[in-house]
Amino acid sequence: MSVAQIVTILGSIPLFSMRTFLPAFLAAIFLTYPEYFPGMGDIAPASEGAFITRDWVLIVLGILSILEIIGDKSADIRNLVKNAEIYLKPLIFLVINLSL
């Protein structure tokens, strides 16, 4: 299974396809710690120092995922996320597909 397949699978699940940061966060977790998830053992480990597996990227994506989920209940956060996701969604998809 490749990184592009993981992103495609996550994007096809309705819960994740409506979100920007949650699929990126899960893909980063899968790539950083594949040994903890069943069926992910065939994934080649990310290269040393890969962008998506750095701790600060995981933390930022986790925080943004939480804000995205909370944004469903808060109009201010929802507007902030909607304005940002226009630019961030394609950027995150590109970064993941380029295996940075």
Side-chain angles (χ1 to χ4, degrees), residues 5 10 16 20 23 29-30 46 53 56 58-59 65 80 82:
Q5 288 173 323
L10 289 175
F16 298 133
T20 304
I29 292 291
F30 289 157
T53 61
W56 67 270
L58 292 173
I59 292 169
S65 297
L80 176 69
K82 280 189 179 192

Side-chain angles (χ1 to χ4, degrees), residues 7 63 85 87 93 97:
V7 173
I63 291 169
E85 78 178 1
Y87 305 104
F93 187 75
N97 277 326

Side-chain angles (χ1 to χ4, degrees), residues 21-35:
F21 302 109
L22 187 58
F25 177 66
L26 289 177
I29 292 291
F30 289 157
L31 292 172
T32 306
Y33 306 107
E35 65 274 7

Side-chain angles (χ1 to χ4, degrees), residues 4-6 8 22 24 35 42 52 61 64 70 75 77 92 97:
Q5 288 173 323
I6 294 171
T8 304
L22 187 58
E35 65 274 7
D42 296 337
I52 197 72
L61 285 175
L64 291 172
I70 294 172
I77 295 175
I92 289 172
N97 277 326

